[in-house]
Amino acid sequence: MSARAAEPLGIGAAPDMTHQAPLGNTHGHNSPLPTTVWLPEADEPNTAPIPGCVLPAWALDKVRTDFVGHPGHQPVPLLKIAIRDMGPGATARIPTTAFTTHTAQGDALKRMRILLAEIHPDAYPVPGEPLSSSAPDVPGIAEDGWPGFFHHAHRLLPDNGHLLLATRQRRDSGRLTDPLGALIAAARTAGFRYLQHIVVAYARPDGDGLVPVPPADASPGVAHCDVIALSVIRHK
Protein backbone atom coordinates (compact mmCIF):
# COMPACT_ATOMS: atom_id res chain seq x y z
CA MET A 1 0.00 0.00 0.00
CA SER A 2 1.28 3.46 -0.82
CA ALA A 3 -0.09 6.70 0.52
CA ARG A 4 0.42 10.17 -0.85
CA ALA A 5 0.98 13.05 1.54
CA ALA A 6 -2.01 15.09 2.64
CA GLU A 7 -3.09 18.00 0.46
CA PRO A 8 -6.20 20.24 0.24
CA LEU A 9 -9.28 18.70 -1.34
CA GLY A 10 -10.18 21.80 -3.28
CA ILE A 11 -13.59 21.11 -4.08
CA GLY A 12 -21.04 3.77 23.22
CA ALA A 13 -20.88 0.10 22.94
CA ALA A 14 -21.31 -1.82 19.70
CA PRO A 15 -24.80 -3.16 19.05
CA ASP A 16 -25.31 -6.92 19.15
CA MET A 17 -25.68 -7.29 15.38
CA THR A 18 -23.20 -9.17 13.21
CA HIS A 19 -25.12 -9.60 9.96
CA GLN A 20 -22.71 -9.42 7.04
CA ALA A 21 -23.93 -8.13 3.70
CA PRO A 22 -22.01 -7.11 0.57
CA LEU A 23 -21.62 -3.51 -0.47
CA GLY A 24 -24.48 -2.45 -2.68
CA ASN A 25 -27.11 -4.62 -0.99
CA THR A 26 -30.28 -2.59 -0.51
CA HIS A 27 -33.57 -3.45 1.08
CA GLY A 28 -37.15 -2.31 0.85
CA HIS A 29 -38.29 0.93 2.46
CA ASN A 30 -39.50 -0.77 5.64
CA SER A 31 -36.67 -3.32 5.94
CA PRO A 32 -33.61 -2.73 8.14
CA LEU A 33 -30.39 -1.93 6.34
CA PRO A 34 -27.52 -4.37 6.84
CA THR A 35 -25.26 -3.75 9.81
CA THR A 36 -21.84 -5.33 10.23
CA VAL A 37 -19.50 -5.41 13.24
CA TRP A 38 -15.79 -5.39 12.42
CA LEU A 39 -13.20 -6.67 14.89
CA PRO A 40 -9.40 -6.80 14.47
CA GLU A 41 -7.55 -10.08 14.16
CA ALA A 42 -6.42 -11.57 17.46
CA ASP A 43 -2.76 -10.87 16.61
CA GLU A 44 -3.33 -7.26 15.42
CA PRO A 45 -0.81 -5.12 17.38
CA ASN A 46 -2.44 -1.73 16.67
CA THR A 47 -6.14 -2.00 17.41
CA ALA A 48 -6.85 1.70 18.02
CA PRO A 49 -6.48 4.57 15.53
CA ILE A 50 -3.65 7.04 15.84
CA PRO A 51 -4.56 10.43 17.41
CA GLY A 52 -6.58 12.58 15.07
CA CYS A 53 -7.93 9.63 13.07
CA VAL A 54 -11.22 7.76 13.35
CA LEU A 55 -10.46 4.42 11.69
CA PRO A 56 -7.66 2.09 12.83
CA ALA A 57 -5.19 1.11 10.12
CA TRP A 58 -6.47 -2.47 10.03
CA ALA A 59 -10.01 -1.24 9.30
CA LEU A 60 -8.75 1.04 6.52
CA ASP A 61 -7.04 -1.98 4.94
CA LYS A 62 -10.29 -3.93 5.24
CA VAL A 63 -12.18 -1.16 3.44
CA ARG A 64 -9.75 -1.41 0.53
CA THR A 65 -9.98 -5.21 0.23
CA ASP A 66 -12.88 -7.16 1.77
CA PHE A 67 -15.43 -4.35 1.83
CA VAL A 68 -15.67 -3.75 -1.91
CA GLY A 69 -15.35 -7.41 -2.87
CA HIS A 70 -12.41 -6.71 -5.18
CA PRO A 71 -11.17 -9.81 -7.06
CA GLY A 72 -8.22 -11.46 -5.36
CA HIS A 73 -8.59 -9.16 -2.35
CA GLN A 74 -6.23 -6.70 -4.01
CA PRO A 75 -6.47 -3.24 -2.38
CA VAL A 76 -8.38 -0.69 -4.42
CA PRO A 77 -7.41 3.00 -4.70
CA LEU A 78 -8.99 5.16 -2.01
CA LEU A 79 -8.98 8.87 -1.22
CA LYS A 80 -9.14 9.64 2.51
CA ILE A 81 -10.06 13.11 3.73
CA ALA A 82 -10.03 14.51 7.27
CA ILE A 83 -12.89 16.87 8.14
CA ARG A 84 -11.96 18.93 11.19
CA ASP A 85 -14.42 21.81 10.76
CA MET A 86 -17.29 22.78 8.50
CA GLY A 87 -17.03 26.55 8.53
CA PRO A 88 -17.26 28.75 5.41
CA GLY A 89 -14.90 27.53 2.70
CA ALA A 90 -14.17 24.26 4.50
CA THR A 91 -14.20 22.15 1.35
CA ALA A 92 -11.14 24.03 0.06
CA ARG A 93 -9.21 23.36 3.29
CA ILE A 94 -9.88 19.65 3.77
CA PRO A 95 -6.58 17.70 3.71
CA THR A 96 -6.52 14.53 1.61
CA THR A 97 -4.39 11.39 1.43
CA ALA A 98 -4.44 9.13 -1.63
CA PHE A 99 -3.97 5.40 -1.07
CA THR A 100 -3.00 3.70 -4.33
CA THR A 101 -1.84 0.26 -5.42
CA HIS A 102 1.50 1.35 -6.85
CA THR A 103 4.13 4.03 -6.30
CA ALA A 104 3.51 5.74 -9.64
CA GLN A 105 0.64 8.15 -9.09
CA GLY A 106 -0.27 9.07 -12.68
CA ASP A 107 -4.02 9.56 -12.89
CA ALA A 108 -4.69 7.60 -9.69
CA LEU A 109 -7.21 10.15 -8.42
CA LYS A 110 -9.25 9.76 -11.60
CA ARG A 111 -9.51 6.00 -11.03
CA MET A 112 -10.60 6.27 -7.41
CA ARG A 113 -14.18 5.36 -6.70
CA ILE A 114 -14.05 5.34 -2.89
CA LEU A 115 -13.98 8.56 -0.89
CA LEU A 116 -13.51 8.01 2.85
CA ALA A 117 -14.34 11.01 5.04
CA GLU A 118 -13.10 10.80 8.62
CA ILE A 119 -15.15 13.31 10.58
CA HIS A 120 -13.71 14.87 13.73
CA PRO A 121 -16.34 15.23 16.47
CA ASP A 122 -15.80 19.02 16.52
CA ALA A 123 -17.11 19.18 12.95
CA TYR A 124 -20.44 17.54 13.78
CA PRO A 125 -23.60 19.51 13.06
CA VAL A 126 -25.08 21.00 16.23
CA PRO A 127 -28.46 19.38 17.03
CA GLY A 128 -31.30 21.72 16.15
CA GLU A 129 -29.15 24.10 14.08
CA PRO A 130 -29.11 24.29 10.25
CA LEU A 131 -26.42 22.26 8.47
CA SER A 132 -25.30 25.35 6.53
CA SER A 133 -24.13 28.70 7.91
CA SER A 134 -25.91 30.54 5.08
CA ALA A 135 -29.47 31.77 5.25
CA PRO A 136 -31.94 29.55 3.32
CA ASP A 137 -32.69 32.31 0.78
CA VAL A 138 -29.05 33.06 -0.06
CA PRO A 139 -28.04 31.85 -3.56
CA GLY A 140 -25.35 29.17 -3.55
CA ILE A 141 -26.35 27.65 -0.22
CA ALA A 142 -25.61 24.22 -1.70
CA GLU A 143 -21.92 25.17 -1.66
CA ASP A 144 -21.82 25.94 2.06
CA GLY A 145 -21.50 23.74 5.17
CA TRP A 146 -22.45 20.08 5.12
CA PRO A 147 -24.77 20.44 2.09
CA GLY A 148 -21.81 21.89 0.17
CA PHE A 149 -19.53 19.04 1.18
CA PHE A 150 -21.96 16.36 0.01
CA HIS A 151 -22.58 18.12 -3.31
CA HIS A 152 -18.82 18.45 -3.89
CA ALA A 153 -18.33 14.76 -3.05
CA HIS A 154 -21.13 13.77 -5.43
CA ARG A 155 -19.49 15.66 -8.29
CA LEU A 156 -16.05 14.23 -7.48
CA LEU A 157 -17.08 10.56 -7.51
CA PRO A 158 -17.77 8.51 -10.65
CA ASP A 159 -21.10 6.79 -11.35
CA ASN A 160 -19.96 3.63 -9.53
CA GLY A 161 -18.43 5.63 -6.67
CA HIS A 162 -18.98 5.27 -2.94
CA LEU A 163 -18.72 7.74 -0.09
CA LEU A 164 -17.87 6.36 3.35
CA LEU A 165 -18.42 8.48 6.46
CA ALA A 166 -16.33 7.45 9.48
CA THR A 167 -17.55 9.02 12.71
CA ARG A 168 -17.65 8.43 16.42
CA GLN A 169 -19.82 9.79 19.17
CA ARG A 170 -18.97 12.87 21.21
CA ARG A 171 -19.83 13.62 24.84
CA ASP A 172 -21.70 16.91 25.37
CA SER A 173 -22.89 17.89 28.86
CA GLY A 174 -22.40 14.32 29.99
CA ARG A 175 -24.38 12.81 27.12
CA LEU A 176 -23.06 11.06 24.02
CA THR A 177 -24.29 12.67 20.81
CA ASP A 178 -24.68 10.93 17.47
CA PRO A 179 -24.64 12.93 14.19
CA LEU A 180 -25.53 10.10 11.83
CA GLY A 181 -29.18 10.99 11.22
CA ALA A 182 -28.49 14.57 10.10
CA LEU A 183 -25.50 13.56 7.96
CA ILE A 184 -27.37 10.78 6.17
CA ALA A 185 -30.30 13.11 5.44
CA ALA A 186 -27.94 15.71 3.92
CA ALA A 187 -26.19 13.04 1.86
CA ARG A 188 -29.48 11.78 0.45
CA THR A 189 -30.45 15.31 -0.53
CA ALA A 190 -27.17 15.62 -2.46
CA GLY A 191 -27.82 12.44 -4.44
CA PHE A 192 -26.45 9.54 -2.38
CA ARG A 193 -28.12 6.25 -1.47
CA TYR A 194 -27.61 4.87 2.06
CA LEU A 195 -26.28 1.31 1.77
CA GLN A 196 -24.82 -0.01 4.98
CA HIS A 197 -23.79 0.71 8.57
CA ILE A 198 -20.50 -0.75 9.83
CA VAL A 199 -19.50 -0.72 13.49
CA VAL A 200 -15.72 -0.82 14.01
CA ALA A 201 -14.89 -1.89 17.56
CA TYR A 202 -12.12 -0.22 19.53
CA ALA A 203 -11.24 -3.52 21.17
CA ARG A 204 -9.14 -6.63 20.81
CA PRO A 205 -10.27 -10.26 21.13
CA ASP A 206 -9.29 -11.99 24.36
CA GLY A 207 -10.54 -15.55 24.55
CA ASP A 208 -14.33 -15.44 24.36
CA GLY A 209 -14.47 -11.74 25.20
CA LEU A 210 -13.22 -8.34 24.11
CA VAL A 211 -10.81 -5.97 25.81
CA PRO A 212 -11.62 -2.30 25.04
CA VAL A 213 -8.75 -0.30 23.53
CA PRO A 214 -10.25 3.18 23.06
CA PRO A 215 -8.28 5.95 21.35
CA ALA A 216 -6.62 8.45 23.65
CA ASP A 217 -8.54 11.35 22.08
CA ALA A 218 -12.01 9.73 22.22
CA SER A 219 -14.75 10.84 24.62
CA PRO A 220 -15.09 8.66 27.74
CA GLY A 221 -17.34 5.70 27.12
CA VAL A 222 -16.77 5.57 23.35
CA ALA A 223 -15.80 2.01 22.41
CA HIS A 224 -16.39 2.02 18.65
CA CYS A 225 -16.69 4.16 15.55
CA ASP A 226 -19.34 4.04 12.84
CA VAL A 227 -18.84 3.83 9.08
CA ILE A 228 -21.79 4.76 6.87
CA ALA A 229 -21.59 3.50 3.27
CA LEU A 230 -23.30 5.61 0.59
CA SER A 231 -23.43 5.15 -3.18
CA VAL A 232 -23.75 7.74 -5.93
CA ILE A 233 -27.14 8.12 -7.64
CA ARG A 234 -27.29 9.89 -10.99
CA HIS A 235 -30.35 10.33 -13.14
CA LYS A 236 -29.49 10.17 -16.82
Side-chain angles (χ1 to χ4, degrees):
M1 175 174 69
S2 62
R4 190 166 66 182
E7 59 185 40
L9 179 61
I11 49 164
D16 187 19
M17 292 184 289
T18 57
H19 176 64
Q20 177 75 41
L23 181 65
N25 183 26
T26 58
H27 292 62
H29 178 72
N30 295 320
S31 300
L33 287 165
T35 301
T36 302
V37 176
W38 282 2
L39 296 171
E41 297 293 336
D43 59 351
E44 172 58 52
N46 301 308
T47 56
I50 63 175
C53 292
V54 177
L55 279 183
W58 64 265
L60 179 60
D61 290 340
K62 194 173 179 69
V63 166
R64 299 185 63 211
T65 54
D66 300 354
F67 185 62
V68 293
H70 199 255
H73 293 282
Q74 294 298 313
V76 299
L78 176 147
L79 184 65
K80 186 176 84 165
I81 65 177
I83 301 179
R84 309 217 190 297
D85 77 277
M86 199 45 76
T91 54
R93 298 192 304 271
I94 295 175
T96 71
T97 304
F99 291 84
T100 62
T101 55
H102 49 74
T103 55
Q105 298 299 323
D107 61 345
L109 291 181
K110 295 180 181 179
R111 297 194 304 272
M112 289 187 181
R113 63 183 182 94
I114 301 179
L115 176 61
L116 170 64
E118 289 196 327
I119 305 172
H120 191 278
D122 290 344
Y124 289 168
V126 177
E129 293 188 5
L131 295 182
S132 173
S133 59
S134 299
D137 58 348
V138 173
I141 184 174
E143 303 304 317
D144 193 17
W146 282 106
F149 164 72
F150 285 115
H151 280 88
H152 279 299
H154 193 269
R155 291 197 295 267
L156 177 68
L157 288 165
D159 289 349
N160 63 344
H162 294 91
L163 172 64
L164 306 184
L165 306 178
T167 74
R168 62 176 180 237
Q169 293 172 311
R170 179 181 66 192
R171 187 175 293 276
D172 289 324
S173 301
R175 300 183 62 183
L176 289 173
T177 60
D178 189 338
L180 295 180
L183 294 179
I184 292 170
R188 281 174 164 161
T189 300
F192 287 96
R193 177 186 292 113
Y194 175 24
L195 295 180
Q196 190 173 10
H197 178 195
I198 299 171
V199 174
V200 178
Y202 292 149
R204 60 177 176 81
D206 184 10
D208 294 333
L210 296 173
V211 176
V213 188
D217 56 350
S219 294
V222 172
H224 74 277
C225 68
D226 300 281
V227 178
I228 299 301
L230 305 150
S231 66
V232 171
I233 302 174
R234 285 199 174 93
H235 302 288
K236 297 181 179 179

